[in-house]
Structures are given as C-alpha cells and as structure tokens.
C-alpha cells in the first residue's frame, strides 16, 4: 500500500526514501572506492584516475542540459526507479567482466559513463521532489539529513571497500551496488511522490522549456551570481578530489588502508550535515556558503604544504574540508529549493549540474598533466588559493547575500 503525502506523514515518507537511499549510496560508495583502489594499484597514474572521474561525470553533465526538461514532465518516482535500475544493470555488467577476467580500463571508463547517464535523470528528479514532500521551513533540515546519509556512506564505504578488496574479488564487491539499487527501487514503491502541476499542458519543446527555467532563475536577484561562484570553485575542487588517493599513495607513501582513512576523513561532513539537519541553523545561508569557500580553500592550501611525513595532519585537514563541503552544499541546495518554483526545479537542478560540471571537466582533463608536471602538493596549493579567493570576492555581492536572508 502506498503512503499518501500529508503534513503529518512527510517524515515517514522521507524515512522510507532515506532507508533505500542509504543502502544504495553505501553500496555505490563501496563499489566506487574499490574501483579507485584497483585503478590506483594497477596503474599508479593521476591521468587514469582523472579520466575515470571524467567518464563518471561527463555524460551526466552533458545530458543534464536537457534531462531536467523530461524530469519536469515525467513522473518523478518512475524516473528515479528506472534510473536506479539502469545504474544497477551497468554495474552488474562490469561485475561480470571482472569475474571472467575480461575487464580492461576502457571497459571501466565505458560502464562508468553509462552509470553517469542514469544519474543525469535520477539526481534532478530526487532534488526536485523534495520541496513537494517537505514543508518549506524544513528544507534546510532535509538537505542536512541528506548530507548525513552521504557522510555515513563516505565514512563506512571506503573502509569497507579497503577491507573487502583484501578478502574477495572486485567482481563480488560490485554486486553490493546491484543489491543497493534493488533495495532503493523497492523502497520507492511504498511512497507517493507528487508531481507539480504544469501551468499548461504543451508539447515537448526543449528550447522553450529551458528558456522558461532560465527566466525563472534570472527573476531571482542574486541567484545567478551565487551559481557562477559555485561553478568557479567547482572547477578547482573536482580535479583536486580526483587526486586524493594518489596524494596518499605517492606523496605520503601510504597504502590502500590509508587511502580509505583519507576518504573517511572527508566524512567529517557528517558532523556538519548533522548540525544543519538537527538544528536547522537560523542564519544567512549565503554568508555561510562564502565562509565555507574560505575554509575549504585553506584546507587544500595547507595540505599542499605538508611534508611527506605528515599524513595524519593531511587527514585532519581533510576532515575540516569535508565539513566545509557539507555546510556549503546543504545551504546551497536549500537556497535554490526555497526560491525557485517547483514546476521548473527539475530543469534548474539538471542544468545547474551540467553548467557546474562542464568547466570542471576541463580541469579534470588537465589534472593528470598538471599533477605529473608540477607535483601533487603544488596542485593542492594552487587550487586552495583560488577557492579561498572566490570566498573573499563573494562577500562583495550584496544582492547575493540578501538572497541568503530571504525565506531561509
């Protein structure tokens, strides 16, 4: 029996969705980090890790330019179920290739790219559904709890991956991701996710629908500036994220277990997400976002200055970087959800994801070359300086800061 949405059972609805998502995200994190460990050990190449990240994100970023148009027209629950099922199928195929010892690096790139296609529809459908399920004054809290779930997975996933890869073949580890997708799809069968009423039923017209979403965003003063700063920061954050495993292996002389420790440290966002989720901070969310740029930039900068013997200092800095990331993301999503009309949210989130990721793709393309040329430590220093600069400059945009006080 489906659960019908009302003001009294929204928490029950989210509890069911979050339970399914917890299994799905945890299993995906385990599988994803197992692949990272495999690639790092097999190749030891920054370029290979960067290209694998590129394969995971490029299709999603390109499709995101138009996927939101379909998300806003299709039934959002069905979209999420089909997307999760497709992602699970792709992982199953990769598992079979590993089992029969047929997996090459290009197979990994291809299957990661296909999974990314599923994510291009699942992520905006999920984000656009939240304002239809939760009261307005709870959106920041919901975003915070979502961060807690991701953080639990970021803490447990790498540790379990490092443990499992020493106990079993990677083909079996990937099957956990398939099981997680099955659980997530089944949990969605027990809830009702409403779809926003469109102003008028029209034929599909992608350009017209995208223009409608763009007009909706432009009407909100300060929102375009907020998005632009996020894009600039992501251009430098994402390439550095791809270098964390090699920073542990090559700069600090670590092993697979220490790689997992660094990834677990990024789960420091659990603390920040919990603060947002439990206490629903009553403060200007844009000022919080700006401050987190500064903190994240500082952690990258200092990480690049550490000597090769200071691995645990690197872990501590990574912990604070994860907290900064969580505070930023929870606040950013809440600002958009509170100010953008639900009827265009699918398009806004999908296009934003694309516009945010496409420049970062360029950064990833050059990551391997830059890191191999100037060194991993210098790459961290450079990225940290730029991200911190974004945080400083963003304080000089009053309309954007005012947006943080509006309904937040």
């Amino acid at each position: 029996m489906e659960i019908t949405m009302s003001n009294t059972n929204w928490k029950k609805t989210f509890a069911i969705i979050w339970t399914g998502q917890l299994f799905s995200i945890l299993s995906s994190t385990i599988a994803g980090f197992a692949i990272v460990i495999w690639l790092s050990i097999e190749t030891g190449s920054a370029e290979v890790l960067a290209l694998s990240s590129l394969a995971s994100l490029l299709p999603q970023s390109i499709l995101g330019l138009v996927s939101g148009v379909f998300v806003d027209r299709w039934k959002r629950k069905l979209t999420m179920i089909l997307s999760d099922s497709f992602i699970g199928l792709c992982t199953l195929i990769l598992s079979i290739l590993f089992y029969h010892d047929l997996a090459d690096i290009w197979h990994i790139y291809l299957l990661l790219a296909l999974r990314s296609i599923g994510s291009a529809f699942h992520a905006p459908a999920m984000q656009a559904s939240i304002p239809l399920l939760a009261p307005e004054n709870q959106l920041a809290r919901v975003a915070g709890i979502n961060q807690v779930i991701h953080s639990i997975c970021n803490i447990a996933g790498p540790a379990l991956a490092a443990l499992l890869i020493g106990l079993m073949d990677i083909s079996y580890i990937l099957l956990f991701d398939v099981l997680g997708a099955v659980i997530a799809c089944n949990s969605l069968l027990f809830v009702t996710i409403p779809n926003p009423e469109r102003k008028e039923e029209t034929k599909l017209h992608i350009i017209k629908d995208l223009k409608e979403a763009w007009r909706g965003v432009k009407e909100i003063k300060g929102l375009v500036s907020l998005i632009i700063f996020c894009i600039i920061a992501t251009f430098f954050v994402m390439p550095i994220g791809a270098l964390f495993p090699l920073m542990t292996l090559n700069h600090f002389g670590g092993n697979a277990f220490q790689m997992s420790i660094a990834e677990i440290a990024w789960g420091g966002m659990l603390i920040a997400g919990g603060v947002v989720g439990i206490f629903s901070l009553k403060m200007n969310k844009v000022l919080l976002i700006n401050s987190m740029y500064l903190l994240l930039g500082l952690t990258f900068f200092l990480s690049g200055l550490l000597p090769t013997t200071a691995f645990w200092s690197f872990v501590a800095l990574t912990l604070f970087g994860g907290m900064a990331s969580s505070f930023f993301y929870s606040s950013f999503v809440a600002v958009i959800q509170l100010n953008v009309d639900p009827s265009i949210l699918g398009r806004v989130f999908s296009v934003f994801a694309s516009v945010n990721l496409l420049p970062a793709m360029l950064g990833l393309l050059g990551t391997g070359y830059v890191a191999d040329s100037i060194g991993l430590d210098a790459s961290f220093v450079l990225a940290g300086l730029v991200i911190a600069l974004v945080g400083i400059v963003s304080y000089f945009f009053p309309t954007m800061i005012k947006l943080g006080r509006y309904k937040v």
Side-chain angles (χ1 to χ4, degrees), residues 16-42:
I16 294 173
I17 294 174
W18 281 331
T19 299
Q21 289 300 304
L22 175 61
F23 282 101
S24 178
I25 297 169
L26 177 58
S27 59
S28 291
T29 305
I30 292 172
F33 194 69
I35 291 175
V36 168
I37 293 176
W38 189 88
L39 288 173
S40 298
I41 294 174
E42 291 293 319

mmCIF file of all heavy atoms in Angstrom, residues 16-42:
data_model
loop_
_atom_site.group_PDB
_atom_site.id
_atom_site.type_symbol
_atom_site.label_atom_id
_atom_site.label_comp_id
_atom_site.label_asym_id
_atom_site.label_seq_id
_atom_site.Cartn_x
_atom_site.Cartn_y
_atom_site.Cartn_z
ATOM 1 N N ILE A 16 11.302 6.290 4.715
ATOM 2 C CA ILE A 16 11.314 5.165 3.772
ATOM 3 C C ILE A 16 12.276 5.442 2.622
ATOM 4 O O ILE A 16 13.081 4.584 2.234
ATOM 5 C CB ILE A 16 9.889 4.905 3.245
ATOM 6 C CG1 ILE A 16 8.983 4.427 4.386
ATOM 7 C CG2 ILE A 16 9.918 3.867 2.119
ATOM 8 C CD1 ILE A 16 7.526 4.304 4.006
ATOM 9 N N ILE A 17 12.215 6.659 2.067
ATOM 10 C CA ILE A 17 13.105 7.012 0.956
ATOM 11 C C ILE A 17 14.556 6.970 1.403
ATOM 12 O O ILE A 17 15.424 6.408 0.714
ATOM 13 C CB ILE A 17 12.754 8.409 0.409
ATOM 14 C CG1 ILE A 17 11.355 8.398 -0.224
ATOM 15 C CG2 ILE A 17 13.793 8.865 -0.621
ATOM 16 C CD1 ILE A 17 10.874 9.765 -0.667
ATOM 17 N N TRP A 18 14.834 7.549 2.569
ATOM 18 C CA TRP A 18 16.208 7.608 3.061
ATOM 19 C C TRP A 18 16.762 6.215 3.352
ATOM 20 O O TRP A 18 17.954 5.971 3.168
ATOM 21 C CB TRP A 18 16.279 8.476 4.314
ATOM 22 C CG TRP A 18 16.278 9.946 4.017
ATOM 23 C CD1 TRP A 18 16.763 10.562 2.902
ATOM 24 C CD2 TRP A 18 15.761 10.979 4.857
ATOM 25 N NE1 TRP A 18 16.576 11.919 2.988
ATOM 26 C CE2 TRP A 18 15.977 12.210 4.172
ATOM 27 C CE3 TRP A 18 15.150 11.007 6.106
ATOM 28 C CZ2 TRP A 18 15.596 13.439 4.700
ATOM 29 C CZ3 TRP A 18 14.767 12.234 6.640
ATOM 30 C CH2 TRP A 18 14.994 13.425 5.944
ATOM 31 N N THR A 19 15.906 5.309 3.820
ATOM 32 C CA THR A 19 16.376 3.946 4.080
ATOM 33 C C THR A 19 16.882 3.302 2.796
ATOM 34 O O THR A 19 17.970 2.713 2.752
ATOM 35 C CB THR A 19 15.251 3.089 4.684
ATOM 36 O OG1 THR A 19 14.839 3.655 5.936
ATOM 37 C CG2 THR A 19 15.733 1.663 4.922
ATOM 38 N N GLY A 20 16.092 3.433 1.734
ATOM 39 C CA GLY A 20 16.511 2.886 0.449
ATOM 40 C C GLY A 20 17.748 3.567 -0.085
ATOM 41 O O GLY A 20 18.669 2.911 -0.605
ATOM 42 N N GLN A 21 17.802 4.900 0.053
ATOM 43 C CA GLN A 21 18.954 5.644 -0.442
ATOM 44 C C GLN A 21 20.221 5.313 0.338
ATOM 45 O O GLN A 21 21.315 5.304 -0.223
ATOM 46 C CB GLN A 21 18.676 7.151 -0.371
ATOM 47 C CG GLN A 21 17.651 7.638 -1.376
ATOM 48 C CD GLN A 21 18.071 7.373 -2.801
ATOM 49 O OE1 GLN A 21 19.132 7.792 -3.245
ATOM 50 N NE2 GLN A 21 17.229 6.651 -3.546
ATOM 51 N N LEU A 22 20.079 5.042 1.633
ATOM 52 C CA LEU A 22 21.242 4.701 2.451
ATOM 53 C C LEU A 22 21.921 3.439 1.906
ATOM 54 O O LEU A 22 23.143 3.413 1.720
ATOM 55 C CB LEU A 22 20.825 4.477 3.908
ATOM 56 C CG LEU A 22 21.929 3.988 4.859
ATOM 57 C CD1 LEU A 22 23.066 5.009 4.934
ATOM 58 C CD2 LEU A 22 21.352 3.728 6.249
ATOM 59 N N PHE A 23 21.131 2.406 1.623
ATOM 60 C CA PHE A 23 21.701 1.173 1.075
ATOM 61 C C PHE A 23 22.286 1.407 -0.309
ATOM 62 O O PHE A 23 23.359 0.898 -0.644
ATOM 63 C CB PHE A 23 20.630 0.079 1.019
ATOM 64 C CG PHE A 23 20.340 -0.561 2.334
ATOM 65 C CD1 PHE A 23 19.227 -0.197 3.070
ATOM 66 C CD2 PHE A 23 21.192 -1.524 2.851
ATOM 67 C CE1 PHE A 23 18.955 -0.783 4.298
ATOM 68 C CE2 PHE A 23 20.932 -2.124 4.075
ATOM 69 C CZ PHE A 23 19.813 -1.749 4.808
ATOM 70 N N SER A 24 21.582 2.193 -1.119
ATOM 71 C CA SER A 24 22.038 2.443 -2.487
ATOM 72 C C SER A 24 23.342 3.227 -2.514
ATOM 73 O O SER A 24 24.294 2.864 -3.212
ATOM 74 C CB SER A 24 20.955 3.189 -3.268
ATOM 75 O OG SER A 24 21.392 3.485 -4.576
ATOM 76 N N ILE A 25 23.394 4.316 -1.737
ATOM 77 C CA ILE A 25 24.582 5.171 -1.737
ATOM 78 C C ILE A 25 25.770 4.459 -1.099
ATOM 79 O O ILE A 25 26.904 4.553 -1.582
ATOM 80 C CB ILE A 25 24.290 6.506 -1.013
ATOM 81 C CG1 ILE A 25 23.195 7.275 -1.762
ATOM 82 C CG2 ILE A 25 25.554 7.362 -0.918
ATOM 83 C CD1 ILE A 25 22.650 8.465 -0.988
ATOM 84 N N LEU A 26 25.513 3.718 -0.010
ATOM 85 C CA LEU A 26 26.600 2.996 0.657
ATOM 86 C C LEU A 26 27.206 1.951 -0.279
ATOM 87 O O LEU A 26 28.430 1.855 -0.416
ATOM 88 C CB LEU A 26 26.086 2.322 1.928
ATOM 89 C CG LEU A 26 27.108 1.461 2.685
ATOM 90 C CD1 LEU A 26 28.321 2.285 3.089
ATOM 91 C CD2 LEU A 26 26.461 0.802 3.906
ATOM 92 N N SER A 27 26.352 1.182 -0.942
ATOM 93 C CA SER A 27 26.865 0.143 -1.845
ATOM 94 C C SER A 27 27.593 0.754 -3.037
ATOM 95 O O SER A 27 28.619 0.228 -3.490
ATOM 96 C CB SER A 27 25.720 -0.753 -2.319
ATOM 97 O OG SER A 27 24.727 -0.005 -3.005
ATOM 98 N N SER A 28 27.084 1.901 -3.534
ATOM 99 C CA SER A 28 27.764 2.581 -4.645
ATOM 100 C C SER A 28 29.122 3.118 -4.214
ATOM 101 O O SER A 28 30.089 3.093 -4.976
ATOM 102 C CB SER A 28 26.891 3.717 -5.182
ATOM 103 O OG SER A 28 25.750 3.217 -5.845
ATOM 104 N N THR A 29 29.187 3.629 -2.967
ATOM 105 C CA THR A 29 30.452 4.146 -2.444
ATOM 106 C C THR A 29 31.472 3.023 -2.293
ATOM 107 O O THR A 29 32.655 3.193 -2.622
ATOM 108 C CB THR A 29 30.230 4.843 -1.089
ATOM 109 O OG1 THR A 29 29.239 5.859 -1.221
ATOM 110 C CG2 THR A 29 31.523 5.475 -0.589
ATOM 111 N N ILE A 30 31.025 1.889 -1.790
ATOM 112 C CA ILE A 30 31.923 0.733 -1.655
ATOM 113 C C ILE A 30 32.463 0.317 -3.020
ATOM 114 O O ILE A 30 33.673 0.147 -3.212
ATOM 115 C CB ILE A 30 31.178 -0.451 -1.002
ATOM 116 C CG1 ILE A 30 30.841 -0.127 0.458
ATOM 117 C CG2 ILE A 30 32.029 -1.729 -1.072
ATOM 118 C CD1 ILE A 30 29.948 -1.162 1.129
ATOM 119 N N ALA A 31 31.549 0.183 -3.995
ATOM 120 C CA ALA A 31 31.966 -0.236 -5.332
ATOM 121 C C ALA A 31 32.874 0.800 -5.986
ATOM 122 O O ALA A 31 33.894 0.463 -6.596
ATOM 123 C CB ALA A 31 30.738 -0.486 -6.201
ATOM 124 N N GLY A 32 32.494 2.073 -5.861
ATOM 125 C CA GLY A 32 33.281 3.137 -6.483
ATOM 126 C C GLY A 32 34.683 3.229 -5.923
ATOM 127 O O GLY A 32 35.657 3.376 -6.671
ATOM 128 N N PHE A 33 34.821 3.120 -4.589
ATOM 129 C CA PHE A 33 36.150 3.230 -3.995
ATOM 130 C C PHE A 33 36.972 1.978 -4.278
ATOM 131 O O PHE A 33 38.201 2.062 -4.402
ATOM 132 C CB PHE A 33 36.050 3.469 -2.491
ATOM 133 C CG PHE A 33 37.351 3.924 -1.882
ATOM 134 C CD1 PHE A 33 37.859 5.179 -2.172
ATOM 135 C CD2 PHE A 33 38.066 3.097 -1.040
ATOM 136 C CE1 PHE A 33 39.074 5.599 -1.631
ATOM 137 C CE2 PHE A 33 39.273 3.510 -0.489
ATOM 138 C CZ PHE A 33 39.772 4.765 -0.789
ATOM 139 N N ALA A 34 36.311 0.837 -4.394
ATOM 140 C CA ALA A 34 37.029 -0.385 -4.768
ATOM 141 C C ALA A 34 37.640 -0.229 -6.157
ATOM 142 O O ALA A 34 38.782 -0.664 -6.397
ATOM 143 C CB ALA A 34 36.082 -1.587 -4.729
ATOM 144 N N ILE A 35 36.906 0.405 -7.064
ATOM 145 C CA ILE A 35 37.440 0.653 -8.408
ATOM 146 C C ILE A 35 38.621 1.619 -8.348
ATOM 147 O O ILE A 35 39.627 1.445 -9.045
ATOM 148 C CB ILE A 35 36.327 1.200 -9.329
ATOM 149 C CG1 ILE A 35 35.291 0.109 -9.611
ATOM 150 C CG2 ILE A 35 36.915 1.725 -10.642
ATOM 151 C CD1 ILE A 35 34.100 0.583 -10.407
ATOM 152 N N VAL A 36 38.516 2.662 -7.504
ATOM 153 C CA VAL A 36 39.606 3.623 -7.344
ATOM 154 C C VAL A 36 40.864 2.926 -6.830
ATOM 155 O O VAL A 36 41.972 3.166 -7.325
ATOM 156 C CB VAL A 36 39.193 4.766 -6.388
ATOM 157 C CG1 VAL A 36 40.413 5.596 -5.986
ATOM 158 C CG2 VAL A 36 38.150 5.662 -7.045
ATOM 159 N N ILE A 37 40.692 2.061 -5.812
ATOM 160 C CA ILE A 37 41.842 1.323 -5.279
ATOM 161 C C ILE A 37 42.456 0.445 -6.372
ATOM 162 O O ILE A 37 43.680 0.399 -6.545
ATOM 163 C CB ILE A 37 41.416 0.453 -4.072
ATOM 164 C CG1 ILE A 37 41.000 1.347 -2.892
ATOM 165 C CG2 ILE A 37 42.561 -0.475 -3.653
ATOM 166 C CD1 ILE A 37 40.475 0.563 -1.699
ATOM 167 N N TRP A 38 41.600 -0.244 -7.119
ATOM 168 C CA TRP A 38 42.074 -1.126 -8.186
ATOM 169 C C TRP A 38 42.864 -0.347 -9.229
ATOM 170 O O TRP A 38 43.957 -0.749 -9.640
ATOM 171 C CB TRP A 38 40.881 -1.844 -8.820
ATOM 172 C CG TRP A 38 41.253 -2.927 -9.791
ATOM 173 C CD1 TRP A 38 41.505 -4.238 -9.506
ATOM 174 C CD2 TRP A 38 41.421 -2.784 -11.209
ATOM 175 N NE1 TRP A 38 41.823 -4.924 -10.652
ATOM 176 C CE2 TRP A 38 41.776 -4.055 -11.727
ATOM 177 C CE3 TRP A 38 41.308 -1.718 -12.097
ATOM 178 C CZ2 TRP A 38 42.010 -4.288 -13.074
ATOM 179 C CZ3 TRP A 38 41.549 -1.934 -13.446
ATOM 180 C CH2 TRP A 38 41.888 -3.200 -13.926
ATOM 181 N N LEU A 39 42.316 0.795 -9.661
ATOM 182 C CA LEU A 39 42.998 1.614 -10.667
ATOM 183 C C LEU A 39 44.302 2.192 -10.125
ATOM 184 O O LEU A 39 45.317 2.253 -10.834
ATOM 185 C CB LEU A 39 42.083 2.753 -11.130
ATOM 186 C CG LEU A 39 40.892 2.366 -12.018
ATOM 187 C CD1 LEU A 39 39.991 3.571 -12.245
ATOM 188 C CD2 LEU A 39 41.370 1.806 -13.349
ATOM 189 N N SER A 40 44.281 2.632 -8.859
ATOM 190 C CA SER A 40 45.481 3.240 -8.261
ATOM 191 C C SER A 40 46.605 2.225 -8.163
ATOM 192 O O SER A 40 47.762 2.528 -8.467
ATOM 193 C CB SER A 40 45.152 3.798 -6.871
ATOM 194 O OG SER A 40 44.171 4.810 -6.941
ATOM 195 N N ILE A 41 46.260 1.010 -7.717
ATOM 196 C CA ILE A 41 47.282 -0.018 -7.557
ATOM 197 C C ILE A 41 47.771 -0.527 -8.907
ATOM 198 O O ILE A 41 48.972 -0.746 -9.120
ATOM 199 C CB ILE A 41 46.740 -1.175 -6.699
ATOM 200 C CG1 ILE A 41 46.480 -0.683 -5.269
ATOM 201 C CG2 ILE A 41 47.709 -2.352 -6.686
ATOM 202 C CD1 ILE A 41 45.818 -1.710 -4.373
ATOM 203 N N GLU A 42 46.848 -0.706 -9.841
ATOM 204 C CA GLU A 42 47.198 -1.266 -11.143
ATOM 205 C C GLU A 42 47.985 -0.290 -12.018
ATOM 206 O O GLU A 42 48.859 -0.699 -12.781
ATOM 207 C CB GLU A 42 45.934 -1.703 -11.889
ATOM 208 C CG GLU A 42 45.228 -2.906 -11.293
ATOM 209 C CD GLU A 42 46.047 -4.178 -11.414
ATOM 210 O OE1 GLU A 42 46.668 -4.379 -12.482
ATOM 211 O OE2 GLU A 42 46.076 -4.968 -10.447
#
